[in-house]
Amino acid sequence: MSVRTRFAPSPTGFLHIGGARTALFNLLFARHHGGQYLLRVEDTDRARSTEDAVQQILHSLEWLGLSPDEPPVFQSSRAARHAEVAHEMLAAGRAYRCWCTAEELAAMREAAMQAGRPPRYDGRWRDRDPAEAPAGVQPSIRLKAPRDGSTVVEDLVQGRVEVQNAELDDMIILRSDGSPTYLHAVVVDDHDMRITHVIRGDDHLTNTFRQVQIYDAMGWHRPHFAHIPLIHGADGAKLSKRHGAVGVMEFADQGILPEALCNYLLRLGWGHGDEEILTRDRAIALFELRDVGRAAARMDDKKLAHLNGTYLRQADDDRLVAEVLRRLGKEGALFGTIGGDRVKALMPELKERAKTLVDLTAAAAFAAHEGPPTIEAKAQALLTPEAKVLLADLAQFLNTAPWERQDLVTWLRDYADVKGIKLGQVAQPLRIALTGSTQSPPIDAVLWALGRTEAMDRILAAAE
RNA sequence: GUCCCCAUCGUCUAGAGGCCUAGGACACCAGCCUUUCACGCUGGGUACGCGGGUUCGAAUCCCGCUGGGGACGCCA
């Protein structure tokens, strides 16, 4: 039987990195086994689900390269089927109607808590005659769960997990309004979608016992389960807004490359020896659930940034140029095709020095803009009267310089020699004049990319 | 509160009884390279939560403790 996995987010907000990692693991596992990776949108909570969130999730997955192999299944569209299964269970005596009201159940929970017992449904309608049903109350349908023995789940990541059935109560599978509960809908959908491996967050581990009881009640074959640990914030607590960026697209905005984020997420909780940089293909070839760790991992932005830097250096120049120009354009910065050409000419040197697309964009700005750059305060301080004299002098000789990248360094070295100074003493004022900053790609590359005329203008402006 | 899960450097991890005086990566510190910055390179410190077992031998197996996380809804 071919492997089929699914990622099943509920569209109540944007896709966060925990979900992204779950999706990644599902895709990797399916691909590794030559199977399919599907998407199911769990939108049964109509009050909290939004179309906007659905679109955002789809977009985030696409950006990450984690789009599903088939069109997404919307859980809300399957309500009739969920009800049908619940009624089958009712007919088979594996479920029963419960006429408890919400108030009654709340009181029951309250009383149990007071008495120091776990808040469980006491099964009062389990064997009671339906003829005693109160008038005017719409019943819900509950699973008739086994009371003795235990339920065991052989989890592919967590190992064998067992719970006493006495700890579990008869959960509601169909609400009094006829809509399915989440736990029930998931089981029916996973079964109908022929999901073979349910790979999801650790927070669902205890839900699994109850879901497994539904499979058993229906006589359905259980899928394999794999519960992967959650991702925590840097402080060890559950990931939330206060941890800074958690939404996938926030990382995109911060200039993180999708392949870098995937690589980072993969290494959070999964490892293969000392390998740190893994392409998608490599990850597919190596991914095994038994190599997934069992402890929760913390988010480390520094490591992500470092990883992003290595991917940036390997990235295609044209792609980066397009990205930089798009960002510069958003800022309302002026640039023409000339600016774009300069950024492109400098890209091999620029990408060597950036960790994110944000860094890269900032570093490329001087080349994209027309005219002399704004000079940073720190740089301005180094533009001493002596330095200005030197720049003015240099400008006079610039016409004689051979305008080829490799010849420019030699020419500059010769110039410094004649002046009896070190190259650095020429290069630094020149760098400031050309870029407005004390840091930039090699000065010869900058000169060459800017062109003789533009360079001249900037040098003279700085020498003023 | 009850149940379930987890536990190696600050962080992510390697480690499936001897290969471990515990390896790699990020971060940190020192240095090298160098026209700045970055990349790269060299070196450095820092970890098996605690206590009991089992064994000739335990980071690895068992038990307890402690700590962390998760689940207990007619939410998903």
PDB file of all heavy atoms in Angstrom, chain B residues 29-41:
ATOM      1  P     C B  29      32.711  37.704  21.583  1.00  0.00           P
ATOM      2  OP1   C B  29      32.628  39.109  22.014  1.00  0.00           O
ATOM      3  OP2   C B  29      32.667  37.374  20.144  1.00  0.00           O
ATOM      4  O5'   C B  29      34.029  37.056  22.183  1.00  0.00           O
ATOM      5  C5'   C B  29      34.317  37.174  23.572  1.00  0.00           C
ATOM      6  C4'   C B  29      35.557  36.385  23.895  1.00  0.00           C
ATOM      7  O4'   C B  29      35.301  34.970  23.716  1.00  0.00           O
ATOM      8  C3'   C B  29      36.745  36.655  22.971  1.00  0.00           C
ATOM      9  O3'   C B  29      37.451  37.823  23.322  1.00  0.00           O
ATOM     10  C2'   C B  29      37.577  35.401  23.171  1.00  0.00           C
ATOM     11  O2'   C B  29      38.305  35.424  24.381  1.00  0.00           O
ATOM     12  C1'   C B  29      36.488  34.333  23.263  1.00  0.00           C
ATOM     13  N1    C B  29      36.219  33.705  21.950  1.00  0.00           N
ATOM     14  C2    C B  29      37.066  32.669  21.524  1.00  0.00           C
ATOM     15  O2    C B  29      37.994  32.315  22.273  1.00  0.00           O
ATOM     16  N3    C B  29      36.856  32.092  20.324  1.00  0.00           N
ATOM     17  C4    C B  29      35.846  32.507  19.553  1.00  0.00           C
ATOM     18  N4    C B  29      35.678  31.902  18.385  1.00  0.00           N
ATOM     19  C5    C B  29      34.977  33.566  19.958  1.00  0.00           C
ATOM     20  C6    C B  29      35.197  34.134  21.152  1.00  0.00           C
ATOM     21  P     A B  30      38.284  38.618  22.196  1.00  0.00           P
ATOM     22  OP1   A B  30      38.796  39.847  22.830  1.00  0.00           O
ATOM     23  OP2   A B  30      37.451  38.691  20.972  1.00  0.00           O
ATOM     24  O5'   A B  30      39.513  37.648  21.891  1.00  0.00           O
ATOM     25  C5'   A B  30      40.541  37.478  22.861  1.00  0.00           C
ATOM     26  C4'   A B  30      41.585  36.525  22.333  1.00  0.00           C
ATOM     27  O4'   A B  30      40.983  35.224  22.131  1.00  0.00           O
ATOM     28  C3'   A B  30      42.152  36.869  20.967  1.00  0.00           C
ATOM     29  O3'   A B  30      43.178  37.836  21.029  1.00  0.00           O
ATOM     30  C2'   A B  30      42.710  35.523  20.533  1.00  0.00           C
ATOM     31  O2'   A B  30      43.936  35.217  21.146  1.00  0.00           O
ATOM     32  C1'   A B  30      41.628  34.576  21.051  1.00  0.00           C
ATOM     33  N9    A B  30      40.630  34.273  20.016  1.00  0.00           N
ATOM     34  C8    A B  30      39.381  34.809  19.836  1.00  0.00           C
ATOM     35  N7    A B  30      38.737  34.323  18.790  1.00  0.00           N
ATOM     36  C5    A B  30      39.622  33.413  18.255  1.00  0.00           C
ATOM     37  C6    A B  30      39.547  32.566  17.135  1.00  0.00           C
ATOM     38  N6    A B  30      38.491  32.490  16.327  1.00  0.00           N
ATOM     39  N1    A B  30      40.613  31.770  16.866  1.00  0.00           N
ATOM     40  C2    A B  30      41.679  31.842  17.673  1.00  0.00           C
ATOM     41  N3    A B  30      41.864  32.597  18.760  1.00  0.00           N
ATOM     42  C4    A B  30      40.797  33.363  18.992  1.00  0.00           C
ATOM     43  P     G B  31      43.419  38.804  19.763  1.00  0.00           P
ATOM     44  OP1   G B  31      44.502  39.734  20.180  1.00  0.00           O
ATOM     45  OP2   G B  31      42.110  39.328  19.307  1.00  0.00           O
ATOM     46  O5'   G B  31      43.975  37.817  18.625  1.00  0.00           O
ATOM     47  C5'   G B  31      45.337  37.407  18.631  1.00  0.00           C
ATOM     48  C4'   G B  31      45.544  36.282  17.657  1.00  0.00           C
ATOM     49  O4'   G B  31      44.467  35.325  17.772  1.00  0.00           O
ATOM     50  C3'   G B  31      45.499  36.618  16.172  1.00  0.00           C
ATOM     51  O3'   G B  31      46.708  37.203  15.721  1.00  0.00           O
ATOM     52  C2'   G B  31      45.351  35.223  15.575  1.00  0.00           C
ATOM     53  O2'   G B  31      46.563  34.513  15.579  1.00  0.00           O
ATOM     54  C1'   G B  31      44.376  34.582  16.555  1.00  0.00           C
ATOM     55  N9    G B  31      43.006  34.629  16.044  1.00  0.00           N
ATOM     56  C8    G B  31      41.959  35.405  16.471  1.00  0.00           C
ATOM     57  N7    G B  31      40.867  35.209  15.777  1.00  0.00           N
ATOM     58  C5    G B  31      41.214  34.259  14.833  1.00  0.00           C
ATOM     59  C6    G B  31      40.464  33.656  13.796  1.00  0.00           C
ATOM     60  O6    G B  31      39.278  33.859  13.493  1.00  0.00           O
ATOM     61  N1    G B  31      41.205  32.745  13.063  1.00  0.00           N
ATOM     62  C2    G B  31      42.528  32.441  13.303  1.00  0.00           C
ATOM     63  N2    G B  31      43.076  31.535  12.501  1.00  0.00           N
ATOM     64  N3    G B  31      43.248  32.988  14.268  1.00  0.00           N
ATOM     65  C4    G B  31      42.535  33.882  14.987  1.00  0.00           C
ATOM     66  P     C B  32      46.737  38.068  14.384  1.00  0.00           P
ATOM     67  OP1   C B  32      48.078  38.681  14.269  1.00  0.00           O
ATOM     68  OP2   C B  32      45.531  38.914  14.348  1.00  0.00           O
ATOM     69  O5'   C B  32      46.606  36.945  13.256  1.00  0.00           O
ATOM     70  C5'   C B  32      47.655  36.014  13.050  1.00  0.00           C
ATOM     71  C4'   C B  32      47.269  35.068  11.945  1.00  0.00           C
ATOM     72  O4'   C B  32      46.033  34.390  12.296  1.00  0.00           O
ATOM     73  C3'   C B  32      46.934  35.750  10.624  1.00  0.00           C
ATOM     74  O3'   C B  32      48.115  36.019   9.877  1.00  0.00           O
ATOM     75  C2'   C B  32      46.086  34.684   9.944  1.00  0.00           C
ATOM     76  O2'   C B  32      46.854  33.655   9.370  1.00  0.00           O
ATOM     77  C1'   C B  32      45.287  34.123  11.121  1.00  0.00           C
ATOM     78  N1    C B  32      43.946  34.722  11.254  1.00  0.00           N
ATOM     79  C2    C B  32      42.952  34.313  10.354  1.00  0.00           C
ATOM     80  O2    C B  32      43.236  33.478   9.483  1.00  0.00           O
ATOM     81  N3    C B  32      41.709  34.834  10.457  1.00  0.00           N
ATOM     82  C4    C B  32      41.441  35.725  11.410  1.00  0.00           C
ATOM     83  N4    C B  32      40.197  36.203  11.481  1.00  0.00           N
ATOM     84  C5    C B  32      42.436  36.169  12.331  1.00  0.00           C
ATOM     85  C6    C B  32      43.667  35.638  12.216  1.00  0.00           C
ATOM     86  P     C B  33      48.144  37.307   8.900  1.00  0.00           P
ATOM     87  OP1   C B  33      49.473  37.344   8.252  1.00  0.00           O
ATOM     88  OP2   C B  33      47.650  38.481   9.650  1.00  0.00           O
ATOM     89  O5'   C B  33      47.065  36.912   7.797  1.00  0.00           O
ATOM     90  C5'   C B  33      47.317  35.849   6.878  1.00  0.00           C
ATOM     91  C4'   C B  33      46.116  35.667   5.978  1.00  0.00           C
ATOM     92  O4'   C B  33      44.972  35.300   6.779  1.00  0.00           O
ATOM     93  C3'   C B  33      45.680  36.938   5.256  1.00  0.00           C
ATOM     94  O3'   C B  33      46.409  37.078   4.038  1.00  0.00           O
ATOM     95  C2'   C B  33      44.204  36.657   4.983  1.00  0.00           C
ATOM     96  O2'   C B  33      44.015  35.860   3.845  1.00  0.00           O
ATOM     97  C1'   C B  33      43.791  35.876   6.232  1.00  0.00           C
ATOM     98  N1    C B  33      43.167  36.716   7.269  1.00  0.00           N
ATOM     99  C2    C B  33      41.794  36.986   7.173  1.00  0.00           C
ATOM    100  O2    C B  33      41.144  36.521   6.232  1.00  0.00           O
ATOM    101  N3    C B  33      41.215  37.755   8.128  1.00  0.00           N
ATOM    102  C4    C B  33      41.944  38.248   9.125  1.00  0.00           C
ATOM    103  N4    C B  33      41.336  38.993  10.042  1.00  0.00           N
ATOM    104  C5    C B  33      43.344  37.984   9.242  1.00  0.00           C
ATOM    105  C6    C B  33      43.915  37.228   8.299  1.00  0.00           C
ATOM    106  P     U B  34      47.227  38.432   3.753  1.00  0.00           P
ATOM    107  OP1   U B  34      47.988  38.238   2.506  1.00  0.00           O
ATOM    108  OP2   U B  34      47.934  38.808   5.001  1.00  0.00           O
ATOM    109  O5'   U B  34      46.096  39.499   3.490  1.00  0.00           O
ATOM    110  C5'   U B  34      45.210  39.361   2.366  1.00  0.00           C
ATOM    111  C4'   U B  34      44.029  40.256   2.579  1.00  0.00           C
ATOM    112  O4'   U B  34      43.332  39.831   3.779  1.00  0.00           O
ATOM    113  C3'   U B  34      44.379  41.712   2.844  1.00  0.00           C
ATOM    114  O3'   U B  34      44.531  42.410   1.610  1.00  0.00           O
ATOM    115  C2'   U B  34      43.149  42.196   3.613  1.00  0.00           C
ATOM    116  O2'   U B  34      42.089  42.506   2.744  1.00  0.00           O
ATOM    117  C1'   U B  34      42.777  40.951   4.445  1.00  0.00           C
ATOM    118  N1    U B  34      43.305  40.975   5.831  1.00  0.00           N
ATOM    119  C2    U B  34      42.429  41.384   6.817  1.00  0.00           C
ATOM    120  O2    U B  34      41.285  41.699   6.596  1.00  0.00           O
ATOM    121  N3    U B  34      42.971  41.400   8.084  1.00  0.00           N
ATOM    122  C4    U B  34      44.259  41.065   8.444  1.00  0.00           C
ATOM    123  O4    U B  34      44.587  41.132   9.628  1.00  0.00           O
ATOM    124  C5    U B  34      45.088  40.656   7.356  1.00  0.00           C
ATOM    125  C6    U B  34      44.611  40.632   6.112  1.00  0.00           C
ATOM    126  P     U B  35      45.317  43.826   1.601  1.00  0.00           P
ATOM    127  OP1   U B  35      45.701  44.070   0.189  1.00  0.00           O
ATOM    128  OP2   U B  35      46.338  43.801   2.671  1.00  0.00           O
ATOM    129  O5'   U B  35      44.200  44.875   2.007  1.00  0.00           O
ATOM    130  C5'   U B  35      44.585  46.175   2.433  1.00  0.00           C
ATOM    131  C4'   U B  35      43.364  47.043   2.374  1.00  0.00           C
ATOM    132  O4'   U B  35      43.081  47.336   0.982  1.00  0.00           O
ATOM    133  C3'   U B  35      42.120  46.350   2.885  1.00  0.00           C
ATOM    134  O3'   U B  35      41.989  46.589   4.267  1.00  0.00           O
ATOM    135  C2'   U B  35      41.000  47.025   2.092  1.00  0.00           C
ATOM    136  O2'   U B  35      40.554  48.206   2.710  1.00  0.00           O
ATOM    137  C1'   U B  35      41.699  47.395   0.780  1.00  0.00           C
ATOM    138  N1    U B  35      41.356  46.516  -0.352  1.00  0.00           N
ATOM    139  C2    U B  35      40.153  46.729  -1.001  1.00  0.00           C
ATOM    140  O2    U B  35      39.357  47.558  -0.623  1.00  0.00           O
ATOM    141  N3    U B  35      39.902  45.917  -2.069  1.00  0.00           N
ATOM    142  C4    U B  35      40.736  44.950  -2.568  1.00  0.00           C
ATOM    143  O4    U B  35      40.394  44.301  -3.565  1.00  0.00           O
ATOM    144  C5    U B  35      41.967  44.773  -1.841  1.00  0.00           C
ATOM    145  C6    U B  35      42.238  45.557  -0.780  1.00  0.00           C
ATOM    146  P     U B  36      41.433  45.490   5.219  1.00  0.00           P
ATOM    147  OP1   U B  36      42.337  45.416   6.376  1.00  0.00           O
ATOM    148  OP2   U B  36      41.168  44.269   4.415  1.00  0.00           O
ATOM    149  O5'   U B  36      40.036  46.072   5.698  1.00  0.00           O
ATOM    150  C5'   U B  36      39.988  47.303   6.431  1.00  0.00           C
ATOM    151  C4'   U B  36      38.557  47.754   6.479  1.00  0.00           C
ATOM    152  O4'   U B  36      38.124  48.085   5.145  1.00  0.00           O
ATOM    153  C3'   U B  36      37.582  46.690   6.945  1.00  0.00           C
ATOM    154  O3'   U B  36      37.514  46.647   8.359  1.00  0.00           O
ATOM    155  C2'   U B  36      36.275  47.188   6.339  1.00  0.00           C
ATOM    156  O2'   U B  36      35.726  48.232   7.087  1.00  0.00           O
ATOM    157  C1'   U B  36      36.762  47.743   4.997  1.00  0.00           C
ATOM    158  N1    U B  36      36.636  46.793   3.880  1.00  0.00           N
ATOM    159  C2    U B  36      35.370  46.586   3.359  1.00  0.00           C
ATOM    160  O2    U B  36      34.383  47.119   3.815  1.00  0.00           O
ATOM    161  N3    U B  36      35.307  45.733   2.307  1.00  0.00           N
ATOM    162  C4    U B  36      36.352  45.071   1.716  1.00  0.00           C
ATOM    163  O4    U B  36      36.134  44.336   0.753  1.00  0.00           O
ATOM    164  C5    U B  36      37.639  45.312   2.312  1.00  0.00           C
ATOM    165  C6    U B  36      37.730  46.148   3.352  1.00  0.00           C
ATOM    166  P     C B  37      37.389  45.262   9.102  1.00  0.00           P
ATOM    167  OP1   C B  37      37.416  45.545  10.550  1.00  0.00           O
ATOM    168  OP2   C B  37      38.350  44.309   8.521  1.00  0.00           O
ATOM    169  O5'   C B  37      35.920  44.801   8.696  1.00  0.00           O
ATOM    170  C5'   C B  37      34.782  45.522   9.146  1.00  0.00           C
ATOM    171  C4'   C B  37      33.567  45.025   8.396  1.00  0.00           C
ATOM    172  O4'   C B  37      33.739  45.284   6.976  1.00  0.00           O
ATOM    173  C3'   C B  37      33.336  43.523   8.460  1.00  0.00           C
ATOM    174  O3'   C B  37      32.657  43.158   9.643  1.00  0.00           O
ATOM    175  C2'   C B  37      32.456  43.317   7.239  1.00  0.00           C
ATOM    176  O2'   C B  37      31.125  43.723   7.464  1.00  0.00           O
ATOM    177  C1'   C B  37      33.097  44.267   6.237  1.00  0.00           C
ATOM    178  N1    C B  37      34.091  43.588   5.382  1.00  0.00           N
ATOM    179  C2    C B  37      33.637  42.965   4.212  1.00  0.00           C
ATOM    180  O2    C B  37      32.431  43.003   3.950  1.00  0.00           O
ATOM    181  N3    C B  37      34.520  42.337   3.410  1.00  0.00           N
ATOM    182  C4    C B  37      35.815  42.303   3.741  1.00  0.00           C
ATOM    183  N4    C B  37      36.664  41.677   2.918  1.00  0.00           N
ATOM    184  C5    C B  37      36.307  42.928   4.931  1.00  0.00           C
ATOM    185  C6    C B  37      35.416  43.551   5.719  1.00  0.00           C
ATOM    186  P     A B  38      32.917  41.708  10.287  1.00  0.00           P
ATOM    187  OP1   A B  38      31.957  41.614  11.401  1.00  0.00           O
ATOM    188  OP2   A B  38      34.368  41.520  10.543  1.00  0.00           O
ATOM    189  O5'   A B  38      32.494  40.721   9.117  1.00  0.00           O
ATOM    190  C5'   A B  38      31.159  40.260   9.033  1.00  0.00           C
ATOM    191  C4'   A B  38      30.923  39.598   7.688  1.00  0.00           C
ATOM    192  O4'   A B  38      31.608  40.326   6.646  1.00  0.00           O
ATOM    193  C3'   A B  38      31.438  38.184   7.509  1.00  0.00           C
ATOM    194  O3'   A B  38      30.587  37.232   8.113  1.00  0.00           O
ATOM    195  C2'   A B  38      31.372  38.072   5.994  1.00  0.00           C
ATOM    196  O2'   A B  38      30.062  37.924   5.527  1.00  0.00           O
ATOM    197  C1'   A B  38      31.916  39.440   5.587  1.00  0.00           C
ATOM    198  N9    A B  38      33.362  39.382   5.408  1.00  0.00           N
ATOM    199  C8    A B  38      34.369  39.776   6.263  1.00  0.00           C
ATOM    200  N7    A B  38      35.577  39.533   5.814  1.00  0.00           N
ATOM    201  C5    A B  38      35.357  38.928   4.599  1.00  0.00           C
ATOM    202  C6    A B  38      36.235  38.414   3.614  1.00  0.00           C
ATOM    203  N6    A B  38      37.561  38.437   3.726  1.00  0.00           N
ATOM    204  N1    A B  38      35.682  37.869   2.502  1.00  0.00           N
ATOM    205  C2    A B  38      34.343  37.842   2.384  1.00  0.00           C
ATOM    206  N3    A B  38      33.418  38.297   3.241  1.00  0.00           N
ATOM    207  C4    A B  38      33.999  38.827   4.323  1.00  0.00           C
ATOM    208  P     C B  39      31.229  35.887   8.698  1.00  0.00           P
ATOM    209  OP1   C B  39      30.122  35.134   9.340  1.00  0.00           O
ATOM    210  OP2   C B  39      32.446  36.228   9.462  1.00  0.00           O
ATOM    211  O5'   C B  39      31.683  35.114   7.376  1.00  0.00           O
ATOM    212  C5'   C B  39      30.711  34.740   6.401  1.00  0.00           C
ATOM    213  C4'   C B  39      31.421  34.182   5.194  1.00  0.00           C
ATOM    214  O4'   C B  39      32.298  35.198   4.624  1.00  0.00           O
ATOM    215  C3'   C B  39      32.363  33.034   5.490  1.00  0.00           C
ATOM    216  O3'   C B  39      31.666  31.806   5.587  1.00  0.00           O
ATOM    217  C2'   C B  39      33.279  33.074   4.281  1.00  0.00           C
ATOM    218  O2'   C B  39      32.671  32.515   3.137  1.00  0.00           O
ATOM    219  C1'   C B  39      33.450  34.575   4.084  1.00  0.00           C
ATOM    220  N1    C B  39      34.640  35.096   4.778  1.00  0.00           N
ATOM    221  C2    C B  39      35.907  34.876   4.195  1.00  0.00           C
ATOM    222  O2    C B  39      35.968  34.286   3.115  1.00  0.00           O
ATOM    223  N3    C B  39      37.013  35.330   4.831  1.00  0.00           N
ATOM    224  C4    C B  39      36.897  35.975   5.989  1.00  0.00           C
ATOM    225  N4    C B  39      38.017  36.400   6.575  1.00  0.00           N
ATOM    226  C5    C B  39      35.632  36.205   6.605  1.00  0.00           C
ATOM    227  C6    C B  39      34.544  35.758   5.975  1.00  0.00           C
ATOM    228  P     G B  40      32.136  30.714   6.665  1.00  0.00           P
ATOM    229  OP1   G B  40      31.320  29.507   6.441  1.00  0.00           O
ATOM    230  OP2   G B  40      32.169  31.360   7.984  1.00  0.00           O
ATOM    231  O5'   G B  40      33.641  30.412   6.224  1.00  0.00           O
ATOM    232  C5'   G B  40      33.901  29.812   4.957  1.00  0.00           C
ATOM    233  C4'   G B  40      35.391  29.746   4.735  1.00  0.00           C
ATOM    234  O4'   G B  40      35.918  31.107   4.655  1.00  0.00           O
ATOM    235  C3'   G B  40      36.176  29.120   5.879  1.00  0.00           C
ATOM    236  O3'   G B  40      36.184  27.704   5.784  1.00  0.00           O
ATOM    237  C2'   G B  40      37.552  29.715   5.658  1.00  0.00           C
ATOM    238  O2'   G B  40      38.242  29.080   4.601  1.00  0.00           O
ATOM    239  C1'   G B  40      37.210  31.148   5.258  1.00  0.00           C
ATOM    240  N9    G B  40      37.148  32.044   6.411  1.00  0.00           N
ATOM    241  C8    G B  40      36.019  32.536   7.031  1.00  0.00           C
ATOM    242  N7    G B  40      36.283  33.328   8.041  1.00  0.00           N
ATOM    243  C5    G B  40      37.663  33.351   8.101  1.00  0.00           C
ATOM    244  C6    G B  40      38.533  34.045   8.983  1.00  0.00           C
ATOM    245  O6    G B  40      38.246  34.792   9.922  1.00  0.00           O
ATOM    246  N1    G B  40      39.877  33.791   8.692  1.00  0.00           N
ATOM    247  C2    G B  40      40.314  32.988   7.672  1.00  0.00           C
ATOM    248  N2    G B  40      41.635  32.867   7.557  1.00  0.00           N
ATOM    249  N3    G B  40      39.518  32.342   6.832  1.00  0.00           N
ATOM    250  C4    G B  40      38.218  32.572   7.099  1.00  0.00           C
ATOM    251  P     C B  41      36.234  26.854   7.134  1.00  0.00           P
ATOM    252  OP1   C B  41      36.015  25.435   6.752  1.00  0.00           O
ATOM    253  OP2   C B  41      35.380  27.477   8.162  1.00  0.00           O
ATOM    254  O5'   C B  41      37.756  27.037   7.596  1.00  0.00           O
ATOM    255  C5'   C B  41      38.817  26.631   6.728  1.00  0.00           C
ATOM    256  C4'   C B  41      40.128  27.075   7.317  1.00  0.00           C
ATOM    257  O4'   C B  41      40.186  28.539   7.343  1.00  0.00           O
ATOM    258  C3'   C B  41      40.349  26.690   8.775  1.00  0.00           C
ATOM    259  O3'   C B  41      40.812  25.348   8.900  1.00  0.00           O
ATOM    260  C2'   C B  41      41.392  27.702   9.211  1.00  0.00           C
ATOM    261  O2'   C B  41      42.690  27.356   8.771  1.00  0.00           O
ATOM    262  C1'   C B  41      40.927  28.965   8.476  1.00  0.00           C
ATOM    263  N1    C B  41      40.069  29.811   9.323  1.00  0.00           N
ATOM    264  C2    C B  41      40.684  30.657  10.248  1.00  0.00           C
ATOM    265  O2    C B  41      41.920  30.677  10.321  1.00  0.00           O
ATOM    266  N3    C B  41      39.919  31.442  11.044  1.00  0.00           N
ATOM    267  C4    C B  41      38.595  31.395  10.943  1.00  0.00           C
ATOM    268  N4    C B  41      37.891  32.179  11.747  1.00  0.00           N
ATOM    269  C5    C B  41      37.939  30.536  10.014  1.00  0.00           C
ATOM    270  C6    C B  41      38.701  29.762   9.225  1.00  0.00           C
TER     271        C B  41
END
